[in-house]
Amino acid sequence: MPRKSSPTQIRSTAEFARHVGLARSTVSRVLNGQPGLKQKTINRVLRAMSETGFSRNAFALHLKGKRTASVGICMEGLLRVPAVLKLATLQKRLREHHYTSLIEVLDPDGTSRAVAHFLSMRVEAVIFIGYFAEGEIADRIRELTRLGVPHVVIDHPGVPGANTVTLDRRGAMEKVTRHLIGLGHTSFGLLGISESAKSTWDRLHGIGDALASHQMTLERNTLSFDHLHSRESNFEFGRSLAKSFATLPTRPTAYMTLNDEIGAGALRGFLESGLRVPRDVSVTGFNNQDICLVSTPQLTSVDQQIDQTIEVAMTMLLAQINQAGGGGPMVELIQPQLVVRESTGAVAS
Amino acid sequence: MPRKSSPTQIRSTAEFARHVGLARSTVSRVLNGQPGLKQKTINRVLRAMSETGFSRNAFALHLKGKRTASVGICMEGLLRVPAVLKLATLQKRLREHHYTSLIEVLDPDGTSRAVAHFLSMRVEAVIFIGYFAEGEIADRIRELTRLGVPHVVIDHPGVPGANTVTLDRRGAMEKVTRHLIGLGHTSFGLLGISESAKSTWDRLHGIGDALASHQMTLERNTLSFDHLHSRESNFEFGRSLAKSFATLPTRPTAYMTLNDEIGAGALRGFLESGLRVPRDVSVTGFNNQDICLVSTPQLTSVDQQIDQTIEVAMTMLLAQINQAGGGGPMVELIQPQLVVRESTGAVAS
DNA sequence: CTGAAAGCGCTTACAG
DNA sequence: CTGAAAGCGCTTACAG
């Protein structure tokens, strides 16, 4: 037989005060750290707290007008490694500012439900991390703005009126492309970066920028086989794409991929097809995850500068909370860092 | 100039009712889906809801006695990939059961603060994911049990009185060891698995079990250099350990590692030292992450069966909520699956 | 320190 | 459908 939970549950300050033998208002004053109380009384209350495990009902507390000091975080459901790191860093920083965070990992269609929940919980701000359905997130931002609830969007650029922090993905791909052009490459394969996915347009533009300044164009100098393969696993997607490219009699000499997993898959695919990296082909990833160190050869990639991203997001958040937002939406681009490793090299002569 | 938030904020059903031109109780009845209302009235309220963005104050709602339908989740701060997958799967399953989840990513010393927060939010259960400080988590479980709050501990075995789901890590390592013994190995290097870390004891026992049934022992047949290297990055830890082993004139022929990152690092370290895997040495990882496919050779590993783990956790949770827990704590071991790849092979003759 | 009172935003009978 | 009333668990003056 399990023991009954012996000390009958104390569920209110009234009961608790009775249990300690003090007035309700006295207990309340202790709990709120108000002055003018004997140390002995304070100790009596604190001891009883830990003995009984009593805790104040946060719902009554906030009803009375105490601020919730909470922030809602919407996480895009595809929990990729960089997104998780952002979440962890963000929650830690919020805690330092004495904010509690409510986190919802979203189903694709979930922003509406999640934000409604946050609003009913009277959060003081809402933060989005990831890339969401265009219409959905635009609606959310409009809703939050109308209600005067501060917000920050991390990673989803271009939402009208949104306070946004994003990696400069366009600049990132321009850097990557220039690096490859500098190695002599003039023909490029694109893996997972294409016009069909709106979330990759800015990267495409970055590639286009770099090509343009060397009299090349996306149309003439890049090639994509994305439509040929399904995309259940990023790694397998990259691997099968590489194999498709490998069968071409004449093929691009450099390959830019959407992320490190696709990049690592591509490396594998090329190696399995008998091509040597970087001697025959060069490959780049994106995100600079651990996985870049694991592959052979190690993968050239782009670092997201996650700490800096979160720092900027926090600044935007606090600016809004302190009413320091002087007008229009704030938009900041984080400058990525190109990390060159073994998977990119001079074009074979 | 930014537009002022035009429709003055509606903050209570009283104001809202006035705005719609209905009685407070009528609005309340609509919001609670109670019968006996004209469709026209219902529509009027719903339209006004979406026009004004009004939402009921959840704090008042729950004060009135409506259950919070919320569950608190304590995540160990070291957000490794398998833990994140568990979190995402768990939140999804909870949502299907109409539970909201409060998530706290913990500082090492944070369980007390996090659980206090959860209790003040009157969560209906608390779930722990990860490996925590022994004393801390034991205290939490005692506290929750005393208060009659259901709980489930995922991944931290051996907490007294706790309802626990864990991977059978002992069985897992026994399987791994038997696999290696079957390939002819009799001398083993251990990377990240040692007596100094309590969280790896069960794995050590599993290895010991397998060795014992072949007249071998941990003392005579295994070797660890864990103390020689720092552990900032798992990958680098594995890599430098492998290099230390490589310098030995006579070295173990098989290496078991704590996780895939260490395993991948070890592969790299051995290759850089001129040893061939699996011809000269065999290596195993743990967790069966994507990274296992990325390394060359691909890494033999152990799959955690995450979906099944979460399924069992949900069952335990619901059993407690439905008072179906017939007495003592529930403890379940999840059977892992050995995934053999290229990094393990017959011992060189 | 105590005790009674008002009020936060809701729901739920209850009489009209 | 309306309107007045009670109560959920708290805090905050206020008089003793």
Side-chain angles (χ1 to χ4, degrees), chain A residues 40-62:
Chain A
K40 201 181 129 192
T41 315
I42 296 178
N43 292 340
R44 189 139 64 110
V45 172
L46 296 183
R47 178 144 24 84
M49 283 277 286
S50 75
E51 278 171 17
T52 59
F54 169 69
S55 68
R56 282 182 294 181
N57 185 325
F59 291 92
L61 211 59
H62 296 132

Side-chain angles (χ1 to χ4, degrees), chain B residues 91-123:
Chain B
Q91 189 177 43
K92 192 166 166 224
R93 297 287 285 118
L94 285 171
R95 190 154 48 220
E96 288 166 13
H97 285 268
H98 306 289
Y99 281 99
T100 267
S101 37
L102 301 180
I103 301 165
E104 293 271 357
V105 180
L106 300 188
D107 288 333
D109 58 339
T111 65
S112 170
R113 210 195 54 78
V115 169
H117 173 229
F118 289 157
L119 290 175
S120 79
M121 294 296 290
R122 302 298 190 250
V123 297

